[in-house]
């Protein structure tokens, strides 16, 4: 409550109590009056102000009725004030909820900080993979657009100043799987990442750089995935020149899809009760093709990727890296 509103409330309470005391004084001294105590006066005033009007107490003197008239007139203002305040509170709650003010309890989710045209495609890929997603933006218009194109329950949007690091607590950022920084300027992204690390040391970033010279600087921040846009474009261009069909299928595999028959790269964490624990990689390779029509291409362990190893015993918390469609993924998950 601000000082101005508090001052108004205190003044109104003072005037209200003065009027109650005046009603009590003039009515209690009148022989035909029925307001005989201060409690009667307060009860009469409250019943009148709330427009209940039981009629058990009422003023009978000229001055008592005059003061009572002020209560009647004030009751219209109070009702209007209450309705307007309730309406304001409801609108304010809905607005704050829409802007993400109350935060989310998502865990192991993906976070996109910043919103540009290409961010939409990144968000679509994450949501198509049935991952939980939080988008942070500092533009109100972005919130309406994001809510419209991504109405899913597993997509949460937070409107805040980008440099308000305290508000990142609302999106549970330390429990996020990865945080993608989408900034126009690489230096700005680096400064932002450093400041986020100061407040939330466990955050793991994914950053697409325009300037590959900054890649080493980002690597000093710890466990991050830094992508050079220049390197990716160069490699794809070279691949399209001398092996266009391989380049075409590589590009297709990089796009997340939910359509049956369309291939995609998938990763799946080996659960503690998996039948593959203790088995050789070759066993899983054979079964993946036979049972799930999927091609196992490698194992991820301790943040390292082992591409199609000749001999490797599978362990709990390893990740299968395989190529398959949505049915293949469902088979692996449910198998």
């Amino acid at each position: 409550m601000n000082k101005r509103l508090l001052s108004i409330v205190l003044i109104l309470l003072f005037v209200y109590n003065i009027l109650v005391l005046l009603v009590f004084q003039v009515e209690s001294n009148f022989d035909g009056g029925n307001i005989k105590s201060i409690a009667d006066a307060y009860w009469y005033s409250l019943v009148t102000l709330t427009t209940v009007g039981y009629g058990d107490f009422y003023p009978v003197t000229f001055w008592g009725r005059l003061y009572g008239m002020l209560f009647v007139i004030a009751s219209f203002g109070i009702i209007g004030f209450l309705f307007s305040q309730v309406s304001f509170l409801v609108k304010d709650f809905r607005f704050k909820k829409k802007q993400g003010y109350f935060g989310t309890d998502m865990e192991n989710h993906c976070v996109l900080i910043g919103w540009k045209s290409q961010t939409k495609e990144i968000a679509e890929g994450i949501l198509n993979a049935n991952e939980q997603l939080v988008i942070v933006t500092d533009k109100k218009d972005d919130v309406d657009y994001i809510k419209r194109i991504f109405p899913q329950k597993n997509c949460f949007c937070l409107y805040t100043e980008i440099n308000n690091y305290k508000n990142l607590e609302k999106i549970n950022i330390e429990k996020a799987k990865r945080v993608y920084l989408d900034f126009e300027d690489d230096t700005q992204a680096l400064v932002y990442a450093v400041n986020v690390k100061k407040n939330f040391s466990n955050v793991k970033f994914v950053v697409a750089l325009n300037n590959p010279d900054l890649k080493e600087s980002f690597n000093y921040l710890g466990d991050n995935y830094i992508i050079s846009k220049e390197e990716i474009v160069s490699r794809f261009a070279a691949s399209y020149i001398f092996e266009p069909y391989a380049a075409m299928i590589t590009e297709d595999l990089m796009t997340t899809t939910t359509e049956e028959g369309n291939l995609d790269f998938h990763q799946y964490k080996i659960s503690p009760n998996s039948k593959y624990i203790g088995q050789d990689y070759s066993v899983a390779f054979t079964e993946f093709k036979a049972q799930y029509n999927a091609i196992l291409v490698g194992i991820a362990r301790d943040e390292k990727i082992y591409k199609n190893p000749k001999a490797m015993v599978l362990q709990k918390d390893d990740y299968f890296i395989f190529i398959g469609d949505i049915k293949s993924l469902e088979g692996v998950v449910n198998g």
Side-chain angles (χ1 to χ4, degrees):
M1 185 181 294
N2 57 49
K3 292 183 178 180
R4 183 173 177 274
L5 181 59
L6 179 61
S7 299
I8 293 173
V9 171
L10 292 175
I11 292 171
L12 290 176
L13 285 174
F14 175 76
V15 173
Y16 165 73
N17 282 283
I18 292 297
L19 287 174
V20 171
L21 290 173
L22 289 172
V23 169
F24 164 68
Q25 185 176 16
V26 298
E27 292 296 313
S28 62
N29 293 326
F30 186 73
D31 291 338
N34 60 15
I35 299 176
K36 296 299 183 181
S37 67
I38 191 68
D40 294 341
Y42 272 109
W43 175 251
Y44 158 72
S45 67
L46 291 173
V47 168
T48 304
L49 287 171
T50 56
T51 70
V52 176
Y54 287 121
D56 49 351
F57 293 104
Y58 51 88
V60 294
T61 66
F62 170 80
W63 288 106
R65 288 174 176 173
L66 181 63
Y67 300 141
M69 191 181 299
L70 296 177
F71 283 125
V72 172
I73 294 173
S75 67
F76 293 108
I78 289 175
I79 295 299
F81 174 77
L82 290 176
F83 274 117
S84 65
Q85 287 298 304
V86 170
S87 176
F88 171 77
L89 290 173
V90 170
K91 288 182 179 178
D92 186 58
F93 175 82
R94 293 177 65 181
F95 175 78
K96 288 181 176 178
K97 184 178 181 181
K98 182 179 179 182
Q99 307 298 323
Y101 181 86
F102 302 109
T104 178
D105 58 358
M106 288 183 181
E107 295 185 9
N108 201 33
H109 52 298
C110 303
V111 177
L112 301 181
I113 297 181
W115 180 262
K116 299 200 294 293
S117 57
Q118 67 267 27
T119 316
K120 176 176 177 290
E121 296 182 8
I122 298 172
E124 286 176 343
I126 293 171
L127 292 172
N128 283 342
N130 293 320
E131 295 284 345
Q132 295 186 107
L133 174 65
V134 171
I135 302 171
V136 180
T137 178
D138 59 352
K139 297 181 179 64
K140 288 183 179 180
D141 292 341
D142 289 343
V143 176
D144 294 328
Y145 179 69
I146 292 167
K147 291 282 186 180
R148 186 169 66 254
I149 62 174
F150 300 130
Q152 300 99 315
K153 290 183 178 180
N154 61 335
C155 181
F156 179 83
C157 186
L158 172 66
Y159 166 71
T160 182
E161 293 181 8
I162 293 296
N163 292 329
N164 189 338
Y165 305 106
K166 183 69 175 176
N167 273 353
L168 296 179
E169 293 180 354
K170 294 181 178 180
I171 61 171
N172 228 1
I173 192 168
E174 279 207 292
K175 294 185 178 180
K177 181 181 293 184
R178 294 286 172 186
V179 177
Y180 177 77
L181 300 182
D182 201 349
F183 291 78
E184 293 287 353
D185 182 74
D186 291 343
T187 303
Q188 181 188 4
L190 178 59
V191 172
Y192 187 85
V194 170
N195 286 322
V196 171
K197 280 284 191 178
K198 288 180 180 178
N199 291 273
F200 310 100
S201 59
N202 294 326
V203 173
K204 300 176 181 179
F205 292 108
V206 175
V207 185
L209 296 177
N210 294 302
N211 182 5
D213 293 337
L214 289 176
K215 194 169 183 178
E216 285 299 320
S217 299
F218 272 98
N219 288 332
Y220 280 119
L221 293 177
D223 180 26
N224 305 298
Y225 292 103
I226 312 304
I227 308 161
S228 171
K229 296 178 183 178
E230 183 179 296
E231 291 177 359
I232 291 175
V233 172
S234 300
R235 290 172 184 175
F236 260 110
S239 185
Y240 267 106
I241 291 171
F242 71 89
E243 49 180 10
Y245 302 122
M248 288 171 65
I249 195 168
T250 300
E251 184 178 359
D252 182 66
L253 287 171
M254 290 176 64
T255 305
T256 302
T257 179
T258 57
E259 296 181 11
E260 187 175 346
N262 286 344
L263 299 180
D264 189 12
F265 274 113
H266 300 283
Q267 68 176 44
Y268 179 73
K269 189 175 184 178
I270 300 178
S271 61
N273 58 348
S274 173
K275 63 181 180 180
Y276 293 112
I277 294 178
Q279 297 280 353
D280 189 78
Y281 173 85
S282 60
V283 175
F285 182 90
T286 303
E287 288 193 6
F288 264 57
K289 180 58 182 174
Q291 295 185 16
Y292 314 124
N293 194 28
I295 302 171
L296 191 59
V297 296
I299 294 293
R301 177 184 296 172
D302 299 329
E303 302 293 334
K304 294 181 180 180
I305 296 177
Y306 300 88
K307 301 175 185 177
N308 204 24
K310 289 184 177 180
M312 187 174 188
V313 177
L314 300 176
Q315 301 176 3
K316 179 175 71 73
D317 295 335
D318 284 349
Y319 282 89
F320 287 127
I321 311 297
F322 62 95
I323 299 173
D325 64 3
I326 190 65
K327 295 294 290 184
S328 299
L329 176 61
E330 292 173 359
V332 173
V333 171
N334 299 321

